[in-house]
Coordinates of all heavy atoms in Angstrom, one line a residue:
A653 N -4.1 -1.7 -11.1 CA -2.8 -1.7 -10.6 C -1.8 -1.8 -11.7 O -0.7 -1.3 -11.6 CB -2.6 -2.9 -9.6
A654 N -2.1 -2.4 -12.8 CA -1.2 -2.5 -13.9 C -0.9 -1.1 -14.6 O 0.1 -0.9 -15.2 CB -1.8 -3.4 -15.0
E655 N -1.9 -0.2 -14.4 CA -1.6 1.2 -15.0 C -0.5 1.9 -14.3 O 0.1 2.8 -14.9 CB -2.9 2.0 -14.8 CG -4.0 1.7 -15.8 CD -5.2 2.6 -15.7 OE1 -5.0 3.7 -15.1 OE2 -6.2 2.3 -16.1
A656 N -0.1 1.4 -13.1 CA 1.0 2.1 -12.4 C 2.3 1.9 -13.2 O 3.3 2.6 -12.9 CB 1.1 1.5 -11.0
Y657 N 2.4 1.0 -14.1 CA 3.6 0.8 -14.9 C 3.5 1.3 -16.3 O 4.4 1.0 -17.1 CB 4.0 -0.7 -14.8 CG 4.3 -1.1 -13.4 CD1 3.4 -1.8 -12.7 CD2 5.5 -0.8 -12.9 CE1 3.7 -2.2 -11.4 CE2 5.8 -1.2 -11.6 CZ 4.9 -1.8 -10.8 OH 5.1 -2.2 -9.5
S658 N 2.5 2.1 -16.6 CA 2.4 2.6 -18.0 C 3.4 3.8 -18.1 O 3.8 4.3 -17.1 CB 1.0 3.1 -18.3 OG 0.6 4.1 -17.5
K659 N 3.7 4.2 -19.3 CA 4.6 5.3 -19.5 C 4.2 6.6 -18.9 O 5.0 7.3 -18.2 CB 4.8 5.5 -21.0 CG 5.9 6.6 -21.3 CD 6.4 6.5 -22.7 CE 7.4 7.6 -23.0 NZ 8.7 7.5 -22.3
K660 N 2.9 6.9 -19.0 CA 2.4 8.2 -18.4 C 2.4 8.2 -16.9 O 2.5 9.2 -16.2 CB 1.0 8.5 -18.9 CG -0.1 7.7 -18.4 CD -1.4 8.2 -18.9 CE -2.5 7.4 -18.3 NZ -3.9 7.8 -18.7
A661 N 2.4 7.0 -16.3 CA 2.5 6.9 -14.8 C 3.9 7.0 -14.3 O 4.1 7.3 -13.1 CB 1.9 5.6 -14.3
I662 N 4.9 6.9 -15.1 CA 6.3 6.9 -14.7 C 7.0 8.2 -15.3 O 7.8 8.8 -14.6 CB 7.0 5.7 -15.2 CG1 6.5 4.5 -14.5 CG2 8.5 5.8 -14.9 CD1 7.1 3.2 -15.0
D663 N 6.7 8.6 -16.5 CA 7.3 9.7 -17.2 C 6.6 11.0 -17.0 O 5.5 11.2 -17.5 CB 7.5 9.3 -18.7 CG 8.4 10.3 -19.4 OD1 8.8 11.3 -18.8 OD2 8.6 10.1 -20.6
P664 N 7.1 11.9 -16.2 CA 6.4 13.2 -16.0 C 6.4 14.1 -17.2 O 5.6 15.1 -17.2 CB 7.2 13.8 -14.8 CG 8.6 13.3 -14.9 CD 8.4 11.9 -15.5
T665 N 7.2 13.8 -18.2 CA 7.1 14.6 -19.4 C 5.9 14.4 -20.2 O 5.6 15.2 -21.1 CB 8.4 14.4 -20.3 OG1 8.4 13.0 -20.7 CG2 9.7 14.8 -19.5
V666 N 5.2 13.3 -20.0 CA 4.0 12.9 -20.7 C 2.8 13.8 -20.2 O 2.1 14.5 -21.0 CB 3.7 11.4 -20.6 CG1 2.4 11.1 -21.3 CG2 4.8 10.6 -21.2
E667 N 2.5 13.6 -18.9 CA 1.3 14.4 -18.4 C 1.6 15.1 -17.1 O 0.7 15.5 -16.4 CB 0.1 13.4 -18.1 CG -0.5 12.9 -19.4 CD -1.7 12.1 -19.2 OE1 -2.3 12.2 -18.1 OE2 -2.1 11.4 -20.1
G668 N 2.9 15.2 -16.7 CA 3.3 15.9 -15.5 C 3.4 15.0 -14.2 O 3.0 13.9 -14.2
Y669 N 3.9 15.7 -13.2 CA 4.1 15.0 -11.9 C 2.8 14.6 -11.2 O 2.7 13.7 -10.4 CB 5.0 15.8 -11.0 CG 6.4 15.7 -11.3 CD1 7.0 16.7 -12.0 CD2 7.2 14.7 -10.9 CE1 8.4 16.7 -12.4 CE2 8.5 14.6 -11.2 CZ 9.1 15.6 -11.9 OH 10.4 15.5 -12.2
G670 N 1.7 15.3 -11.5 CA 0.4 15.0 -10.9 C 0.0 13.6 -11.2 O -0.5 12.9 -10.4
T671 N 0.2 13.2 -12.5 CA -0.2 11.9 -12.9 C 0.7 10.8 -12.3 O 0.2 9.8 -11.9 CB 0.0 11.8 -14.5 OG1 -0.8 12.8 -15.0 CG2 -0.5 10.5 -15.0
V672 N 2.0 11.1 -12.1 CA 2.9 10.2 -11.4 C 2.4 10.0 -10.0 O 2.3 8.8 -9.5 CB 4.3 10.7 -11.4 CG1 5.2 9.8 -10.6 CG2 4.8 10.8 -12.9
V673 N 2.2 11.1 -9.2 CA 1.7 10.9 -7.8 C 0.4 10.3 -7.8 O 0.1 9.4 -6.9 CB 1.7 12.3 -7.2 CG1 1.0 12.3 -5.8 CG2 3.1 12.9 -7.1
W674 N -0.5 10.6 -8.7 CA -1.9 10.0 -8.7 C -1.8 8.5 -8.9 O -2.5 7.7 -8.3 CB -2.8 10.7 -9.7 CG -4.2 10.1 -9.7 CD1 -4.8 9.5 -10.7 CD2 -5.1 10.2 -8.6 NE1 -6.1 9.1 -10.3 CE2 -6.3 9.6 -9.0 CE3 -5.1 10.8 -7.3 CZ2 -7.4 9.5 -8.2 CZ3 -6.2 10.7 -6.6 CH2 -7.4 10.1 -7.0
S675 N -0.9 8.1 -9.8 CA -0.8 6.6 -10.0 C -0.2 5.9 -8.8 O -0.6 4.8 -8.5 CB 0.1 6.4 -11.3 OG 1.4 6.7 -11.1
V676 N 0.7 6.5 -8.1 CA 1.2 5.9 -6.9 C 0.1 5.8 -5.8 O 0.0 4.8 -5.2 CB 2.4 6.8 -6.3 CG1 2.8 6.3 -5.0 CG2 3.6 6.7 -7.3
L677 N -0.7 6.8 -5.7 CA -1.8 6.8 -4.7 C -2.8 5.7 -5.1 O -3.3 5.0 -4.2 CB -2.5 8.1 -4.6 CG -1.7 9.3 -4.0 CD1 -2.4 10.6 -4.1 CD2 -1.3 8.9 -2.5
K678 N -3.1 5.6 -6.4 CA -4.1 4.5 -6.8 C -3.5 3.1 -6.5 O -4.2 2.3 -6.0 CB -4.5 4.7 -8.2 CG -5.4 5.9 -8.5 CD -6.0 5.8 -9.9 CE -5.0 5.7 -11.0 NZ -5.5 5.8 -12.4
A679 N -2.3 2.9 -6.9 CA -1.7 1.6 -6.7 C -1.5 1.3 -5.2 O -1.7 0.2 -4.7 CB -0.3 1.6 -7.3
G680 N -1.2 2.4 -4.4 CA -1.1 2.2 -2.9 C -2.5 1.9 -2.3 O -2.5 1.0 -1.4
A681 N -3.5 2.5 -2.8 CA -4.8 2.2 -2.2 C -5.3 0.8 -2.5 O -5.8 0.0 -1.7 CB -5.9 3.2 -2.8
F682 N -4.9 0.3 -3.7 CA -5.2 -1.1 -4.1 C -4.4 -2.1 -3.3 O -5.0 -3.0 -2.7 CB -4.9 -1.3 -5.6 CG -5.1 -2.7 -6.1 CD1 -6.4 -3.2 -6.3 CD2 -4.1 -3.5 -6.2 CE1 -6.6 -4.5 -6.7 CE2 -4.3 -4.8 -6.7 CZ -5.5 -5.3 -6.9
A683 N -3.2 -1.8 -3.1 CA -2.3 -2.7 -2.3 C -2.7 -2.7 -0.8 O -2.7 -3.8 -0.2 CB -0.8 -2.2 -2.4
T684 N -3.2 -1.5 -0.3 CA -3.6 -1.5 1.1 C -4.9 -2.3 1.2 O -5.1 -3.0 2.2 CB -3.9 0.0 1.5 OG1 -2.6 0.7 1.4 CG2 -4.3 0.1 2.9
G685 N -5.8 -2.2 0.3 CA -7.0 -3.0 0.3 C -6.7 -4.5 0.3 O -7.4 -5.3 1.1
I686 N -5.8 -4.9 -0.5 CA -5.4 -6.3 -0.5 C -4.8 -6.8 0.8 O -5.1 -7.8 1.3 CB -4.4 -6.6 -1.7 CG1 -5.1 -6.3 -3.1 CG2 -3.8 -8.0 -1.6 CD1 -6.2 -7.3 -3.4
L687 N -4.0 -5.9 1.4 CA -3.4 -6.2 2.7 C -4.4 -6.3 3.8 O -4.3 -7.3 4.6 CB -2.3 -5.2 3.0 CG -1.6 -5.3 4.4 CD1 -0.8 -6.6 4.4 CD2 -0.7 -4.1 4.6
I688 N -5.4 -5.4 3.8 CA -6.4 -5.5 4.8 C -7.3 -6.8 4.6 O -7.6 -7.5 5.6 CB -7.3 -4.2 4.8 CG1 -6.5 -3.0 5.3 CG2 -8.6 -4.4 5.6 CD1 -7.1 -1.7 5.0
F689 N -7.6 -7.1 3.4 CA -8.4 -8.3 3.1 C -7.6 -9.5 3.5 O -8.2 -10.4 4.2 CB -8.7 -8.4 1.6 CG -9.5 -9.5 1.2 CD1 -10.8 -9.7 1.7 CD2 -9.0 -10.5 0.4 CE1 -11.6 -10.8 1.3 CE2 -9.8 -11.6 0.1 CZ -11.1 -11.8 0.5
A690 N -6.3 -9.6 3.2 CA -5.5 -10.7 3.6 C -5.4 -10.8 5.2 O -5.4 -12.0 5.7 CB -4.1 -10.6 3.0
T691 N -5.3 -9.7 5.8 CA -5.3 -9.7 7.3 C -6.6 -10.2 7.9 O -6.6 -11.0 8.8 CB -5.0 -8.3 7.8 OG1 -3.8 -7.9 7.3 CG2 -4.9 -8.3 9.3
Q692 N -7.7 -9.9 7.3 CA -9.0 -10.4 7.7 C -9.1 -11.9 7.5 O -9.6 -12.6 8.4 CB -10.2 -9.7 7.0 CG -10.3 -8.2 7.4 CD -11.4 -7.6 6.6 OE1 -11.7 -8.0 5.5 NE2 -12.0 -6.5 7.1
I693 N -8.6 -12.4 6.4 CA -8.6 -13.8 6.2 C -7.7 -14.5 7.2 O -8.1 -15.6 7.7 CB -8.2 -14.1 4.7 CG1 -9.3 -13.7 3.8 CG2 -7.9 -15.6 4.5 CD1 -8.9 -13.8 2.3
D694 N -6.6 -14.0 7.5 CA -5.7 -14.5 8.5 C -6.3 -14.6 9.8 O -6.2 -15.7 10.5 CB -4.4 -13.7 8.5 CG -3.4 -14.2 9.6 OD1 -3.1 -15.4 9.6 OD2 -2.9 -13.4 10.4
L695 N -7.0 -13.6 10.2 CA -7.7 -13.6 11.5 C -8.8 -14.6 11.5 O -9.1 -15.3 12.5 CB -8.2 -12.2 11.9 CG -7.2 -11.1 12.2 CD1 -7.8 -9.8 12.3 CD2 -6.5 -11.5 13.5
F696 N -9.6 -14.7 10.4 CA -10.7 -15.7 10.3 C -10.1 -17.1 10.4 O -10.7 -17.9 11.1 CB -11.4 -15.5 9.0 CG -12.6 -16.4 8.9 CD1 -13.8 -16.2 9.5 CD2 -12.5 -17.6 8.1 CE1 -14.8 -17.1 9.4 CE2 -13.5 -18.4 7.9 CZ -14.7 -18.2 8.6
L697 N -9.0 -17.4 9.8 CA -8.4 -18.7 9.8 C -7.9 -19.0 11.2 O -7.9 -20.2 11.6 CB -7.4 -18.9 8.7 CG -7.9 -18.9 7.3 CD1 -6.7 -18.9 6.3 CD2 -8.8 -20.0 7.0
E698 N -7.3 -18.0 11.9 CA -6.8 -18.2 13.2 C -7.8 -18.5 14.2 O -7.7 -19.4 15.1 CB -6.0 -17.0 13.6 CG -5.3 -17.1 15.0 CD -4.4 -15.9 15.3 OE1 -4.0 -15.2 14.4 OE2 -4.2 -15.8 16.5
F699 N -8.9 -17.8 14.2 CA -10.0 -17.9 15.2 C -11.1 -18.8 14.7 O -12.0 -19.2 15.5 CB -10.5 -16.6 15.7 CG -9.5 -15.8 16.4 CD1 -8.8 -14.7 15.9 CD2 -9.2 -16.1 17.7 CE1 -7.9 -14.0 16.6 CE2 -8.2 -15.4 18.5 CZ -7.6 -14.3 17.9
G700 N -11.2 -19.1 13.5 CA -12.3 -19.9 12.9 C -13.6 -19.2 12.8 O -14.7 -19.8 12.5
R701 N -13.6 -17.9 13.0 CA -14.9 -17.1 13.0 C -14.5 -15.6 12.9 O -13.3 -15.3 13.1 CB -15.8 -17.3 14.2 CG -15.1 -17.0 15.5 CD -16.0 -17.3 16.7 NE -15.3 -17.1 17.9 CZ -15.2 -15.9 18.6 NH1 -15.9 -14.9 18.1 NH2 -14.6 -15.8 19.7
Y702 N -15.4 -14.8 12.6 CA -15.2 -13.4 12.7 C -15.1 -12.9 14.1 O -16.0 -13.4 14.9 CB -16.2 -12.6 11.9 CG -16.1 -12.8 10.4 CD1 -17.1 -13.6 9.8 CD2 -15.1 -12.3 9.6 CE1 -17.0 -13.9 8.4 CE2 -15.0 -12.6 8.3 CZ -16.0 -13.3 7.7 OH -15.9 -13.6 6.3
V703 N -14.2 -12.1 14.5 CA -14.1 -11.6 15.9 C -14.2 -10.1 15.9 O -14.0 -9.4 15.0 CB -12.7 -12.1 16.4 CG1 -12.6 -13.6 16.6 CG2 -11.5 -11.5 15.6
Q704 N -14.6 -9.7 17.1 CA -14.8 -8.3 17.4 C -14.0 -7.9 18.6 O -13.8 -8.7 19.5 CB -16.3 -8.0 17.7 CG -17.3 -8.3 16.6 CD -17.1 -7.3 15.4 OE1 -16.8 -6.2 15.6 NE2 -17.2 -7.8 14.2
P705 N -13.5 -6.6 18.6 CA -12.8 -6.2 19.8 C -13.7 -6.3 21.0 O -14.9 -6.0 21.0 CB -12.5 -4.7 19.5 CG -12.6 -4.6 18.0 CD -13.6 -5.6 17.6
G706 N -13.1 -6.6 22.2 CA -13.8 -6.7 23.4 C -14.4 -8.1 23.8 O -14.9 -8.3 24.8
E707 N -14.2 -9.1 22.9 CA -14.7 -10.4 23.2 C -13.8 -11.1 24.2 O -14.3 -11.8 25.1 CB -14.7 -11.3 21.9 CG -15.7 -10.8 20.9 CD -15.8 -11.7 19.7 OE1 -15.4 -12.9 19.8 OE2 -16.3 -11.3 18.7
S708 N -12.5 -10.9 24.1 CA -11.6 -11.4 25.2 C -10.3 -10.7 25.1 O -10.0 -10.0 24.1 CB -11.4 -12.9 25.0 OG -10.5 -13.2 23.9
E709 N -9.4 -10.9 26.1 CA -8.1 -10.2 26.1 C -7.2 -10.7 25.0 O -6.5 -10.0 24.4 CB -7.5 -10.3 27.4 CG -8.1 -9.4 28.5 CD -7.4 -9.4 29.8 OE1 -6.2 -9.8 29.8 OE2 -8.0 -9.1 30.8
D710 N -7.3 -12.0 24.7 CA -6.5 -12.6 23.7 C -6.8 -12.1 22.3 O -6.0 -11.8 21.5 CB -6.6 -14.2 23.7 CG -6.0 -14.8 24.9 OD1 -5.1 -14.2 25.5 OD2 -6.4 -15.9 25.2
I711 N -8.1 -12.0 22.1 CA -8.6 -11.5 20.8 C -8.2 -10.0 20.6 O -7.7 -9.6 19.6 CB -10.1 -11.6 20.6 CG1 -10.4 -13.1 20.4 CG2 -10.6 -10.8 19.4 CD1 -11.9 -13.5 20.4
D712 N -8.4 -9.2 21.7 CA -8.0 -7.8 21.7 C -6.5 -7.6 21.4 O -6.1 -6.8 20.6 CB -8.3 -7.1 23.0 CG -9.8 -6.9 23.1 OD1 -10.6 -7.1 22.1 OD2 -10.2 -6.6 24.3
L713 N -5.7 -8.5 22.0 CA -4.2 -8.4 21.8 C -3.9 -8.7 20.3 O -3.1 -8.1 19.7 CB -3.5 -9.3 22.8 CG -2.0 -9.3 22.6 CD1 -1.4 -7.9 23.0 CD2 -1.4 -10.4 23.6
R714 N -4.5 -9.8 19.8 CA -4.2 -10.2 18.4 C -4.7 -9.1 17.4 O -4.0 -8.9 16.5 CB -4.9 -11.5 18.2 CG -4.7 -12.1 16.8 CD -3.2 -12.3 16.5 NE -3.0 -12.8 15.1 CZ -2.6 -12.0 14.1 NH1 -2.4 -10.7 14.3 NH2 -2.5 -12.5 12.9
L715 N -5.9 -8.5 17.7 CA -6.4 -7.5 16.8 C -5.5 -6.3 16.8 O -5.2 -5.6 15.8 CB -7.8 -7.1 17.2 CG -8.9 -8.2 16.9 CD1 -10.2 -7.7 17.4 CD2 -9.0 -8.5 15.4
L716 N -5.0 -5.9 18.0 CA -4.1 -4.8 18.2 C -2.8 -5.0 17.4 O -2.3 -4.2 16.7 CB -3.9 -4.5 19.6 CG -3.0 -3.2 19.9 CD1 -3.7 -2.0 19.4 CD2 -2.8 -3.1 21.4
S717 N -2.3 -6.2 17.6 CA -1.0 -6.6 16.9 C -1.2 -6.6 15.4 O -0.4 -6.1 14.6 CB -0.4 -7.9 17.4 OG -1.2 -8.9 17.0
A718 N -2.4 -7.0 14.9 CA -2.7 -7.0 13.5 C -2.8 -5.6 13.0 O -2.3 -5.3 11.9 CB -4.0 -7.8 13.2
L719 N -3.4 -4.7 13.7 CA -3.5 -3.3 13.4 C -2.1 -2.7 13.3 O -1.9 -1.9 12.3 CB -4.4 -2.6 14.4 CG -4.5 -1.1 14.2 CD1 -5.2 -0.7 12.9 CD2 -5.2 -0.4 15.4
V720 N -1.3 -2.9 14.2 CA 0.1 -2.3 14.2 C 0.9 -2.9 13.0 O 1.5 -2.1 12.3 CB 0.8 -2.6 15.6 CG1 2.2 -2.2 15.5 CG2 0.1 -1.8 16.7
E721 N 0.7 -4.1 12.7 CA 1.4 -4.7 11.6 C 1.0 -4.1 10.3 O 1.8 -3.7 9.4 CB 1.2 -6.2 11.5 CG 1.9 -7.0 12.6 CD 1.5 -8.5 12.7 OE1 0.7 -8.9 11.8 OE2 2.0 -9.2 13.6
V722 N -0.3 -3.9 10.1 CA -0.8 -3.3 8.9 C -0.4 -1.9 8.8 O 0.1 -1.4 7.7 CB -2.4 -3.4 8.8 CG1 -3.0 -2.6 7.7 CG2 -2.8 -4.9 8.6
L723 N -0.5 -1.1 9.8 CA -0.1 0.3 9.8 C 1.4 0.4 9.5 O 1.8 1.2 8.7 CB -0.4 1.0 11.1 CG -1.8 1.3 11.4 CD1 -2.0 1.9 12.7 CD2 -2.4 2.3 10.3
N724 N 2.3 -0.4 10.1 CA 3.7 -0.4 9.8 C 4.0 -0.7 8.4 O 4.8 -0.1 7.7 CB 4.4 -1.3 10.7 CG 4.6 -0.8 12.1 OD1 4.5 0.4 12.4 ND2 4.8 -1.7 13.1
D725 N 3.3 -1.7 7.9 CA 3.5 -2.1 6.5 C 3.1 -1.0 5.5 O 3.8 -0.7 4.6 CB 2.7 -3.4 6.1 CG 3.3 -4.7 6.7 OD1 4.5 -4.6 7.1 OD2 2.6 -5.7 6.7
V726 N 1.9 -0.4 5.7 CA 1.4 0.6 4.9 C 2.3 1.8 4.9 O 2.7 2.4 3.8 CB 0.0 1.0 5.2 CG1 -0.5 2.3 4.5 CG2 -1.0 -0.1 4.9
I727 N 2.8 2.3 6.0 CA 3.6 3.5 6.1 C 5.0 3.2 5.5 O 5.5 4.0 4.7 CB 3.7 3.9 7.6 CG1 2.4 4.5 8.1 CG2 4.9 5.0 7.7 CD1 2.3 4.7 9.6
F728 N 5.6 2.1 5.8 CA 6.9 1.8 5.2 C 6.8 1.6 3.7 O 7.6 2.2 3.0 CB 7.5 0.5 5.9 CG 8.8 0.1 5.3 CD1 9.9 0.7 5.6 CD2 8.8 -1.0 4.4 CE1 11.1 0.3 5.0 CE2 10.0 -1.4 3.8 CZ 11.2 -0.7 4.1
E729 N 5.9 0.8 3.2 CA 5.8 0.6 1.8 C 5.4 1.9 1.1 O 5.9 2.2 0.0 CB 4.7 -0.5 1.5 CG 5.1 -1.8 2.0 CD 6.4 -2.4 1.3 OE1 6.6 -2.0 0.1 OE2 7.1 -3.2 1.9
A730 N 4.5 2.7 1.6 CA 4.1 4.0 1.0 C 5.3 4.9 0.9 O 5.6 5.5 -0.2 CB 3.0 4.6 1.8
S731 N 6.1 5.0 1.9 CA 7.3 5.9 1.8 C 8.3 5.4 0.9 O 8.9 6.2 0.1 CB 7.8 6.2 3.2 OG 8.3 5.0 3.8
T732 N 8.5 4.1 0.9 CA 9.6 3.5 0.0 C 9.2 3.6 -1.4 O 9.9 4.1 -2.3 CB 9.8 2.0 0.4 OG1 10.2 2.0 1.8 CG2 10.9 1.4 -0.4
I733 N 7.9 3.2 -1.7 CA 7.5 3.2 -3.1 C 7.3 4.6 -3.7 O 7.7 4.9 -4.8 CB 6.2 2.3 -3.3 CG1 6.6 0.9 -2.9 CG2 5.6 2.5 -4.7 CD1 6.0 -0.2 -3.6
A734 N 6.8 5.5 -2.9 CA 6.6 6.9 -3.3 C 8.0 7.5 -3.6 O 8.1 8.2 -4.6 CB 5.8 7.7 -2.3
S735 N 8.9 7.4 -2.7 CA 10.2 8.0 -2.9 C 10.9 7.3 -4.1 O 11.5 8.1 -4.9 CB 11.1 7.9 -1.7 OG 11.3 6.5 -1.3
L736 N 10.8 6.0 -4.3 CA 11.4 5.4 -5.4 C 10.8 5.8 -6.8 O 11.5 6.1 -7.8 CB 11.3 3.9 -5.3 CG 12.0 3.1 -6.4 CD1 13.5 3.3 -6.5 CD2 11.7 1.6 -6.3
R737 N 9.5 5.9 -6.8 CA 8.7 6.3 -8.0 C 9.1 7.8 -8.3 O 9.2 8.1 -9.5 CB 7.2 6.2 -7.8 CG 6.4 6.4 -9.0 CD 6.8 5.6 -10.2 NE 6.5 4.2 -10.0 CZ 5.5 3.6 -10.3 NH1 4.5 4.2 -10.9 NH2 5.4 2.3 -10.1
L738 N 9.1 8.7 -7.3 CA 9.5 10.1 -7.6 C 10.9 10.2 -8.1 O 11.2 11.0 -8.9 CB 9.2 10.9 -6.4 CG 7.7 11.1 -6.1 CD1 7.5 11.9 -4.8 CD2 7.0 11.9 -7.2
F739 N 11.8 9.4 -7.5 CA 13.2 9.4 -8.0 C 13.3 8.9 -9.4 O 14.0 9.5 -10.2 CB 14.1 8.5 -7.1 CG 15.5 8.3 -7.6 CD1 16.4 9.3 -7.4 CD2 15.8 7.1 -8.3 CE1 17.7 9.1 -7.9 CE2 17.1 7.0 -8.8 CZ 18.0 7.9 -8.6
L740 N 12.5 7.9 -9.8 CA 12.5 7.4 -11.1 C 11.9 8.5 -12.1 O 12.4 8.7 -13.2 CB 11.6 6.2 -11.2 CG 11.5 5.5 -12.6 CD1 12.8 5.1 -13.1 CD2 10.5 4.4 -12.5
A741 N 10.9 9.2 -11.6 CA 10.3 10.3 -12.4 C 11.3 11.4 -12.7 O 11.4 11.9 -13.8 CB 9.0 10.8 -11.8
V742 N 12.0 11.8 -11.6 CA 12.9 12.9 -11.8 C 14.1 12.4 -12.7 O 14.5 13.2 -13.6 CB 13.5 13.3 -10.4 CG1 14.7 14.2 -10.6 CG2 12.4 14.0 -9.6
S743 N 14.5 11.2 -12.6 CA 15.6 10.7 -13.4 C 15.1 10.6 -14.9 O 15.9 11.0 -15.8 CB 16.0 9.3 -13.0 OG 16.6 9.4 -11.7
T744 N 13.9 10.2 -15.1 CA 13.3 10.1 -16.5 C 13.2 11.5 -17.1 O 13.6 11.7 -18.3 CB 12.0 9.4 -16.4 OG1 12.1 8.2 -15.8 CG2 11.4 9.3 -17.8
E745 N 12.8 12.5 -16.3 CA 12.7 13.8 -16.8 C 14.1 14.4 -17.2 O 14.2 15.0 -18.2 CB 12.0 14.7 -15.8 CG 11.8 16.1 -16.3 CD 11.1 17.0 -15.3 OE1 11.3 16.9 -14.1 OE2 10.3 17.9 -15.7
R746 N 15.0 14.2 -16.3 CA 16.4 14.7 -16.6 C 17.0 14.0 -17.9 O 17.6 14.7 -18.7 CB 17.3 14.4 -15.4 CG 17.0 15.4 -14.3 CD 18.0 15.1 -13.2 NE 17.7 16.0 -12.0 CZ 18.1 15.8 -10.8 NH1 18.9 14.8 -10.5 NH2 17.7 16.6 -9.8
N747 N 16.8 12.7 -18.0 CA 17.3 12.0 -19.2 C 16.6 12.4 -20.5 O 17.2 12.4 -21.5 CB 17.2 10.5 -19.0 CG 18.1 10.0 -18.0 OD1 19.1 10.6 -17.7 ND2 17.8 8.8 -17.4
S748 N 15.3 12.8 -20.4 CA 14.6 13.2 -21.6 C 15.1 14.6 -22.1 O 15.0 14.9 -23.2 CB 13.1 13.2 -21.4 OG 12.7 14.1 -20.5
R749 N 15.5 15.4 -21.1 CA 16.0 16.8 -21.5 C 17.4 16.7 -22.0 O 17.8 17.6 -22.8 CB 16.0 17.7 -20.2 CG 14.6 18.2 -19.9 CD 14.7 19.3 -18.9 NE 14.4 18.8 -17.6 CZ 14.9 19.3 -16.5 NH1 15.6 20.4 -16.5 NH2 14.6 18.8 -15.3
A750 N 18.2 15.7 -21.7 CA 19.6 15.7 -22.1 C 19.7 15.2 -23.6 O 19.0 14.7 -24.2 CB 20.4 14.7 -21.2

């Protein structure tokens, strides 16, 4: 995740926009994994055990709400961070040409 802030991950004049996009995808995959892991821990602490869909209506409702929360977080953060990173890359490229 720390590589996402290296010069080549931000500056497209070093290795191109492909490297910028790839670094965003790698950092996003790492962040998504951490979010899913934290959600599993939250569910485990809430129910005191691992739960499966179909055990009860309360569990199904909680699992569905956790799924929606994770999807909303991933989509919002991905769009925000990708657009910000691409804006930064374009700005960096323009400044290096000037």
Side-chain angles (χ1 to χ4, degrees):
E655 284 185 18
Y657 296 99
S658 68
K659 183 161 178 70
K660 72 178 183 177
I662 295 173
D663 190 355
T665 61
V666 176
E667 291 187 20
Y669 281 98
T671 304
V672 173
V673 171
W674 183 246
S675 71
V676 170
L677 290 175
K678 287 193 308 186
F682 177 77
T684 301
I686 295 294
L687 179 62
I688 291 170
F689 182 66
T691 302
Q692 289 176 337
I693 290 173
D694 178 50
L695 290 169
F696 181 79
L697 293 175
E698 182 177 336
F699 291 107
R701 61 185 175 86
Y702 293 108
V703 293
Q704 297 291 323
E707 290 183 24
S708 73
E709 288 185 19
D710 291 337
I711 290 174
D712 288 348
L713 181 62
R714 180 61 180 101
L715 290 175
L716 184 60
S717 66
L719 174 67
V720 170
E721 289 171 2
V722 168
L723 287 176
N724 285 339
D725 285 346
V726 167
I727 291 169
F728 176 76
E729 293 296 330
S731 61
T732 302
I733 297 217
S735 61
L736 181 64
R737 184 58 64 92
L738 289 174
F739 174 77
L740 179 64
V742 169
S743 298
T744 303
E745 183 180 36
R746 285 183 184 161
N747 289 339
S748 68
R749 279 194 263 155

